[in-house]
Amino acid sequence: MNLETQETAIFSGLHGLPVEQREAQICEAARSAQTAFEQISQSASCNMEASGDFQKRVFKIFRWYFLSAFCTRLLSESVHRLEHQTLQVSMDICSAVKMILSESDVEESMALVRVEKTSPMVVRANDIGARGHTVGWVAAGLHEKGRSFPGEIENALAGALAASRRLN
C-alpha cells in the first residue's frame, strides 16, 4: 500500500516492480529492438534486397529471432541467451515483439520457426535465420552498455541473406 495516497500498489512478476514501471520497460525494449533491427536492416538493404521465397523465409526467421533475443536480454536478468524464463517474462517479451510486428507477421514467423523440417532447404533456412538470435543477444548487450554496433553485427542480416542467396 502506498502510504501517501492510501492506494494499493499493483506489482508485476519481476522483482515486485510496479506494473506501470514494467510496462515502460516493455515499451522501451520494443523501441530499442525496433531501432536496432532497422539499423542492421538498413545495412542489409544497401547490399541486397530479400528476393525469392527462400530469402524472404530467412529474413522473417532472422527478424523473429533477433527481436525476441534483443527483448529477452533487456527484459530479463539472464546471463546466458538460452536460459529458461518465467511465464511472466516470456509474456513480456512476446508483448514487446508484438509492439514491433503485426499480428500476422508474428504468427507467420512463429509458424516458420516451428515448421516440421521436411527438406534440407527448410532446415538450412531455419539454421541461417536462427543466427538472428545470437546477433540480437549481442546487439542488446552492446545497447545496454551504450556502445555502437561493430561491423559484424551491422552486416549480420546481409550475411544471412547472402548465404541464403548462394543456396537458393
Side-chain angles (χ1 to χ4, degrees):
M1 173 173 262
N2 185 328
L3 297 177
E4 293 177 14
T5 63
Q6 303 301 319
E7 294 178 3
T8 304
I10 301 172
F11 294 97
S12 71
L14 190 67
H15 299 293
L17 292 176
V19 172
E20 296 84 22
Q21 187 177 356
R22 186 61 175 170
E23 287 174 352
Q25 287 178 338
I26 293 168
C27 292
E28 178 58 32
R31 279 191 297 274
S32 298
Q34 183 173 17
T35 302
F37 189 76
E38 287 172 357
Q39 186 177 347
I40 68 166
S41 293
Q42 187 174 23
S43 296
S45 67
C46 291
N47 297 330
M48 65 187 63
E49 288 291 322
S51 59
D53 290 339
F54 189 74
Q55 281 189 310
K56 288 177 183 172
R57 176 186 197 97
V58 168
F59 175 82
K60 289 175 183 177
I61 294 169
F62 187 99
R63 178 181 61 187
W64 170 257
Y65 277 120
F66 179 92
L67 294 173
S68 61
F70 196 99
C71 291
T72 298
R73 180 123 190 203
L74 295 183
L75 294 173
S76 70
E77 296 180 347
S78 298
V79 176
H80 189 272
R81 66 185 179 92
L82 299 178
E83 282 185 32
H84 291 285
Q85 305 299 328
T86 64
L87 179 60
Q88 183 60 52
V89 172
S90 296
M91 294 303 296
D92 292 349
I93 293 163
C94 190
S95 295
V97 173
K98 285 183 177 182
M99 291 176 156
I100 303 165
L101 300 177
S102 68
E103 188 68 34
S104 62
D105 282 342
V106 169
E107 289 175 12
E108 184 179 6
S109 297
M110 290 178 75
L112 289 173
V113 169
R114 292 181 180 156
V115 72
E116 187 176 336
K117 313 316 189 268
T118 56
S119 74
M121 291 305 274
V122 170
V123 170
R124 192 65 182 137
N126 283 20
D127 287 347
I128 294 169
R131 295 176 188 174
H133 197 271
T134 303
V135 175
W137 185 265
V138 172
L142 294 170
H143 172 77
E144 286 179 319
K145 295 174 185 171
R147 296 175 52 198
S148 61
F149 298 156
E152 295 85 359
I153 300 297
E154 289 264 343
N155 296 313
L157 179 57
L161 294 175
S164 65
R165 178 175 284 176
R166 285 190 302 270
L167 292 173
N168 196 7

